[in-house]
Amino acid sequence: MCAAIYFVIGRHLRATLSLVGYITPVYGTAAIVLLAWAALRGEAFVAYPSHDWLVFAALAAGPMLIGHTGLNYALRHLPAWGVGVAATGEPIGSIAIAWVLPAIAEVPGRGALAGAALCLGGIALALMAAPRRAAG
């Protein structure tokens, strides 16, 4: 429900805001809320080895800046439901990244692969059932 609301609001706002004008306050607010939450829980921010910080940076650069920013870019050009459907493919990307990154090298189990197939099937069904816009 939260993701649907986020995409609908984002679709509305992206009609008038540039990508950077939209993601800057959205990502900034998310960072502030998450840092405050972690601080309230007493989480330590310096107790991680440098290798972990590299993984954190890679996760921020890849999935966040490319994946989520790509979804927010698409909100200006596609209906919110279409972006939401595309977002259901995110676990497939996570499975692939965890599998191919040498630092993780996690081979997906049958359940993960079955879930990925189910996600792809759902995306395909949604796209096939989507109303077609007239070209012009």
Side-chain angles (χ1 to χ4, degrees):
M1 182 61 93
C2 291
I5 293 168
Y6 174 77
F7 288 136
V8 169
I9 292 170
R11 172 76 171 143
H12 176 73
L13 292 174
R14 282 285 289 129
T16 57
L17 291 174
S18 70
L19 180 62
V20 172
Y22 176 70
I23 65 170
T24 299
V26 169
Y27 294 1
T29 301
I32 290 167
V33 168
L34 291 173
L35 286 171
W37 178 260
L40 286 172
R41 292 177 40 94
E43 298 291 337
F45 293 105
V46 293
Y48 299 103
S50 59
H51 176 266
D52 287 351
W53 284 105
L54 290 174
V55 172
F56 298 157
L59 289 171
M64 179 63 185
L65 291 179
I66 295 170
H68 288 209
T69 301
L71 293 173
N72 287 313
Y73 172 83
L75 284 171
R76 185 172 219 163
H77 307 285
L78 299 171
W81 70 264
V83 176
V85 167
T88 63
E90 190 172 358
I92 299 167
S94 299
I95 290 169
I97 290 169
W99 194 354
V100 300
L101 273 181
I104 301 172
E106 184 177 303
V107 177
R110 282 187 226 143
L113 294 174
L118 243 134
C119 283
L120 286 174
I123 292 168
L125 285 173
L127 292 175
M128 289 187 306
R132 304 285 182 229
R133 287 189 175 176

